[in-house]
Amino acid sequence: MKPVDDLILELLKDEGQYPPKLIGEKTDKHPKYVGRRCRALRDHGLLRNLGRGLYQITEDGELYLEGELDAAEVADTNESTEE
């Protein structure tokens, strides 16, 4: 996990679904970097790709923010068909 990951998760928890471009604007991070981090968070089950570039926090993402889930324990779901 990178420091920006918590920013992304907190933003989506507080404000709902966003594409990486708007997440980047709201966090002062480059949209391409945010996009890479969103895909990584999706691969770990912390974000869900809703299609059309929108991401939403998952229940596991909220549990992680609450300290109820250790990111090291989250399975890599890279084989997922979500995208």
Side-chain angles (χ1 to χ4, degrees):
M1 297 287 290
K2 308 254 185 225
V4 71
D5 295 345
D6 285 352
L7 289 174
I8 292 168
L9 292 169
E10 289 283 354
L11 176 71
L12 294 176
K13 179 181 179 196
D14 293 343
E15 299 189 23
Q17 57 198 34
Y18 281 116
K21 180 178 179 181
L22 289 178
I23 296 169
E25 289 174 8
K26 290 180 171 282
T27 60
D28 293 324
K29 305 294 180 192
H30 194 281
K32 288 186 180 189
Y33 178 64
V34 171
R36 285 194 302 272
R37 297 312 310 154
C38 284
R39 288 187 294 279
L41 292 167
R42 179 209 58 206
D43 290 346
H44 289 286
L46 302 177
L47 289 185
R48 176 179 302 109
N49 184 332
L50 300 174
R52 299 172 48 107
L54 290 175
Y55 285 90
Q56 178 181 57
I57 192 168
T58 63
E59 185 176 332
D60 281 351
E62 291 190 24
L63 289 172
Y64 166 78
L65 287 176
E66 294 166 4
E68 300 291 324
L69 180 68
D70 184 349
E73 297 174 7
V74 179
D76 185 1
T77 57
N78 204 18
E79 298 85 52
S80 169
T81 57
E82 259 183 60
E83 193 154 331

